Amino acid sequence: MDTACVSKPPQSKKVCVIGAGMAGLAAARELRREGHDVTVLEQSGDVGGQWLYDPRTDATDALGVAAPVKVHSSIYASLRLISPRQTTGFTDFPFCPKSGRDGRRFPGHREVHLYLKDFCHAFGLMEAVRLNTRVLRASMTPARKWAVRSMDLGLGECAGANGKELDAYVDEVFDAVVVATGHYSQPRLPSIKGMETWRGRQMHSHSYRVPEPFRGEVVVVVGCGDSGRDIAMEIRGVAKEVYIVAGSMEAVTPGLSKVLAKHSANLHLRLEVERLCEDGRVVFKDGGGSSSSIAADTVIYCTGYNYSFPFLDTSGAVAVDDNRVGPLFEHVFPPSLAPSLSFVGLLRKVFAPRSFEAQARWVAQVLSGRRKLPTEEEMLRFVEEFYRAKEIAGVPSKYTHEVGSLKCSYVDDFGEKYCDFPRQERWQYEMLRSTVHDMMDTFETFRDDYQDSVSIGKAVQEWHLSCLHSSSKAGSEVSRAGAKP
């Protein structure tokens, strides 16, 4: 399959990036480096995407049934990284601790947001970003350009009061569109008998922020992934009882088992919800044909998110089917619309932002003509073979874009094949694997109680020294720039 460099002068394209979260900013930086004219459209009032914490929730739609949701961010107040900052930064812009800020190895969400703002400042990206701008529609024109209609949310509110909403619309034409809207906003809900008529409170973790509203309650948390464990543990501190539903024993990690034993007074495990009863009871399947029930006040569904692109009109060329976005060549390019349409950041369970950078660099180089894509037929054949391999392996469609936390080499292999992306250092691989192991074994304490091997400890010391050197150098440059001639 031909993906080699092409020896002809690079072309500059007018590109629209939708979303200014971590993936969108990575895309903007790589596209600008390649010489493209970039416009980033962001519906929030600041960059950061999910990392821009919003205390508001979709109060009238706590389950997030409506699409799109009104509040983009799904971050709760206490959320912290699950990967160390030493492996989380952009390749040439390390996530260094800064004086007066959250310097922990696994910092909270605010520190990540500040880091992304630092990244924007360092590479001059804000001049390409248009905030408070919602994309209403992106569709291909007969000339194979992209017509993008957006709305200035500030103007829209004013226009609505005057009955002239069309004045707030902006129509533009671009050579290409990069979709970088993330995939942690639109709730994915299970199908449980009785959900429609249950009289208690039901909500998705998308709408969870703090534990206080659940004080003294009996709460059922459906799902024991990263957010399910965090939320169950946090609510346990104020609730009367918390029942965490794992789905199967395979999902019960050693760390969860330890926590259940430690907090057995009010934290309990169940494997499946059979139904919700109108009188407020939740019935669990206990195995062997038996069941049990409890009277609950609240059910929180920590059941993941759906990919959703309500603004994108591809006339069926790209569709979302059971959370599979496709067909997409290497999770990035739809064969019939490549290279003018691409997706950056669809992959799950890969370490960000490296995967975003690699995908974005490939997109930028393909658009400039420095890289050549296979033919449409070859790309489609690749996608079909990929789907067939997943099916043979028994992997459900909904896990199509899930690489897996332990496959650390995925980004390196992708980058080497498509865009000469630098490989991750060996000590970072070791650190990532150690973190995943600790999280599975001691998820309650792994962020603050970790033991580095000799090699990791030495590498982390060198990394911190490098951060100090970079900070000192940057400070000197600022001083020189501010000095009078």
Side-chain angles (χ1 to χ4, degrees):
M1 201 173 284
D2 185 7
T3 58
C5 285
V6 179
S7 57
K8 62 179 181 180
Q11 308 164 40
S12 176
K13 300 289 179 65
K14 185 179 180 184
V15 185
C16 176
V17 176
I18 303 177
M22 192 177 279
L25 295 176
R29 199 268 295 264
E30 295 301 328
L31 287 162
R32 282 161 62 94
R33 278 181 163 176
E34 192 68 11
H36 299 295
D37 177 11
V38 181
T39 299
V40 184
L41 303 182
E42 169 54 49
Q43 65 180 342
S44 299
D46 200 355
V47 300
Q50 278 296 324
W51 297 105
L52 177 59
Y53 176 72
D54 191 339
R56 300 174 303 160
T57 62
D58 289 29
T60 59
D61 183 22
L63 283 174
V65 175
V69 291
K70 294 179 182 177
V71 177
H72 178 72
S73 180
S74 300
I75 284 181
Y76 39 96
S78 64
L79 185 140
R80 292 172 63 184
L81 282 178
I82 60 172
S83 55
R85 69 189 310 145
Q86 288 85 353
T87 64
T88 303
F90 291 93
T91 51
D92 55 355
F93 192 75
F95 191 5
C96 298
K98 290 200 169 185
S99 178
R101 289 185 7 192
D102 185 350
R104 293 174 295 179
R105 177 173 292 189
F106 300 89
H109 57 79
R110 184 173 182 272
E111 178 69 8
V112 182
H113 180 234
L114 291 174
Y115 168 71
L116 292 175
K117 289 177 71 69
D118 291 341
F119 177 75
C120 275
H121 175 73
F123 294 96
L125 300 180
M126 283 308 300
E127 64 189 34
V129 178
R130 200 182 301 164
L131 299 173
N132 296 308
T133 303
R134 177 174 295 147
V135 175
L136 303 176
R137 190 166 184 263
S139 59
M140 181 170 274
T141 70
R144 295 191 70 80
K145 303 281 188 178
W146 284 90
V148 177
R149 168 169 283 197
S150 62
M151 181 180 188
D152 184 308
L153 297 180
L155 286 177
E157 292 172 3
C158 297
N162 298 322
K164 297 180 180 179
E165 291 189 4
L166 285 176
D167 293 345
Y169 294 162
V170 175
D171 291 305
E172 298 168 278
V173 176
F174 296 90
D175 297 313
V177 164
V178 178
V179 178
T181 50
H183 48 83
Y184 292 110
S185 286
Q186 193 62 49
R188 183 176 178 87
L189 294 167
S191 178
I192 298 174
K193 185 178 180 181
M195 285 179 67
E196 299 79 8
T197 56
W198 195 63
R199 72 181 186 185
R201 171 171 53 183
Q202 296 182 78
M203 60 186 291
H204 190 274
S205 56
H206 168 72
S207 295
Y208 175 82
R209 295 295 181 270
V210 294
E212 188 57 34
F214 310 94
R215 181 169 293 277
E217 291 191 352
V218 175
V219 180
V220 176
V221 176
V222 180
C224 67
D226 300 329
S227 61
R229 295 193 302 264
D230 277 352
I231 291 171
M233 282 297 296
E234 188 166 67
I235 289 178
R236 184 207 64 79
V238 301
K240 180 181 178 182
E241 305 279 346
V242 175
Y243 292 81
I244 185 166
V245 181
S248 69
M249 284 306 298
E250 287 73 23
V252 181
T253 64
L256 180 55
S257 295
K258 292 174 184 177
V259 164
L260 288 163
K262 179 180 177 181
H263 302 292
S264 59
N266 74 337
L267 182 63
H268 316 287
L269 176 70
R270 294 293 185 271
L271 294 183
E272 187 177 353
V273 177
E274 181 179 287
R275 66 184 186 277
L276 305 180
C277 302
E278 286 189 53
D279 62 5
R281 288 181 302 121
V282 177
V283 180
F284 302 105
K285 287 184 180 179
D286 294 333
S290 64
S291 62
S292 60
S293 68
I294 53 103
D297 300 290
T298 300
V299 175
I300 304 177
Y301 299 103
C302 300
T303 48
Y305 295 86
N306 284 319
Y307 293 96
S308 180
F309 315 101
F311 55 86
L312 189 60
D313 179 7
T314 63
S315 299
V318 180
V320 181
D321 181 17
D322 190 25
N323 242 16
R324 169 184 282 173
V325 185
L328 293 181
F329 177 57
E330 292 285 20
H331 309 277
V332 176
F333 289 108
S336 64
L337 299 175
S340 68
L341 179 65
S342 59
F343 294 78
V344 170
L346 290 188
L347 290 175
R348 297 170 53 209
K349 295 195 175 181
V350 290
F351 293 97
R354 286 181 57 82
S355 61
F356 306 154
E357 286 186 275
Q359 289 179 329
R361 185 169 299 184
W362 185 35
V363 169
Q365 292 178 358
V366 168
L367 287 175
S368 72
R370 278 216 292 148
R371 294 275 174 176
K372 182 182 177 183
L373 287 175
T375 65
E376 180 180 341
E377 293 73 20
E378 288 174 320
M379 287 191 284
L380 275 173
R381 193 179 308 120
F382 178 95
V383 174
E384 289 166 1
E385 291 173 357
F386 173 70
Y387 288 172
R388 195 175 301 118
K390 290 284 186 183
E391 186 178 348
I392 292 171
V395 178
S397 296
K398 63 182 179 180
Y399 297 130
T400 295
H401 306 294
E402 190 168 296
V403 172
S405 299
L406 293 175
K407 194 175 180 182
C408 299
S409 65
Y410 175 85
V411 177
D412 284 347
D413 297 341
F414 175 95
E416 187 175 87
K417 183 175 183 180
Y418 293 118
C419 56
D420 294 329
F421 193 68
R423 298 188 72 86
Q424 199 160 22
E425 293 185 50
R426 183 174 294 277
W427 70 269
Q428 291 175 314
Y429 274 123
E430 187 181 346
M431 191 176 208
L432 290 171
R433 291 192 180 97
S434 176
T435 296
V436 171
H437 174 271
D438 290 350
M439 182 171 62
M440 299 290 283
D441 190 55
T442 56
F443 88 84
E444 187 179 12
T445 59
F446 81 95
R447 293 180 179 93
D448 299 304
D449 185 17
Y450 45 82
Q451 297 294 324
D452 291 336
S453 67
V454 173
S455 58
I456 291 179
K458 182 179 178 182
V460 169
Q461 281 187 326
E462 292 175 353
W463 182 87
H464 277 280
L465 288 173
S466 172
C467 282
L468 289 172
H469 176 71
S470 298
S471 178
S472 175
K473 182 179 178 182
S476 299
E477 290 174 354
V478 169
S479 298
R480 286 197 301 272
K484 293 182 180 179

